[in-house]
Amino acid sequence: MFKKFDEKEDVSGTTQLKSSVQKGIRKRIIEDYPHLEPYMESLLPKKENIKLIKCRDHLELLADHNGVVQFVKARNTNYLPTLRLLHKYPFILPQQQVDKGAIKFILNGSQIMCPGLTSPGAKMTAGVPKGAIVAIMAEGKQHALAIGQMLMSTEDVQSVNKGYGIDNIHCLNDGLWRLGEKSVC
């Protein structure tokens, strides 16, 4: 999704949100990621302004008062944490681990195949439904290398073991990752 994201071409504008809108966004994020509630004040402080960065293709980036992008939202989806945020708080998403052979493909933005999730070296969190947002870990690595959306439930991935299992949304070294190296606005 963010493989070819470029700040100069894709960002169309920035807005500082009203406090009432900020409150609603914080509430939605806590509903989606209840484990983040104790850390919400440090992520998006109530006393500071949150910036909404509008991008092409109905994409919105939510940046803290320092201009660091924390969450992403597409048109009809919930807010998704960025990979940098996931590295700080790895417990907010269920984790699916792929084998070593899948790493280079995932870093190129490829979708995750079912055999990469069921082979030796791979581990899946049980009971994850279709459509859930997950952290994609790699065998032998400490941090997530991507964030994806389940295209099948974990039970279906194990039983079918063919085709795509997870849609790769955001991975290391894509446009959104490079955007996080500097603050926006």
Side-chain angles (χ1 to χ4, degrees), residues 16 27 37 60 65 84 114 139 159 162-163 174:
Q16 285 193 350
K27 183 179 175 185
E37 187 169 9
E60 296 176 354
H65 60 282
R84 290 185 189 277
C114 291
E139 178 184 10
S159 64
K162 285 184 182 173
D174 66 5

Side-chain angles (χ1 to χ4, degrees), residues 24-57:
I25 289 173
R26 281 190 196 92
K27 183 179 175 185
R28 274 186 269 152
I29 290 172
I30 290 171
E31 286 172 3
D32 293 338
Y33 309 103
H35 298 301
L36 271 181
E37 187 169 9
Y39 309 99
M40 205 59 185
E41 187 59 33
S42 62
L43 286 175
L44 300 170
K46 291 179 183 176
K47 303 274 183 193
E48 302 290 340
N49 287 323
I50 297 174
K51 296 175 186 167
L52 182 70
I53 303 160
K54 293 194 177 196
C55 303
R56 204 169 24 158
D57 299 329

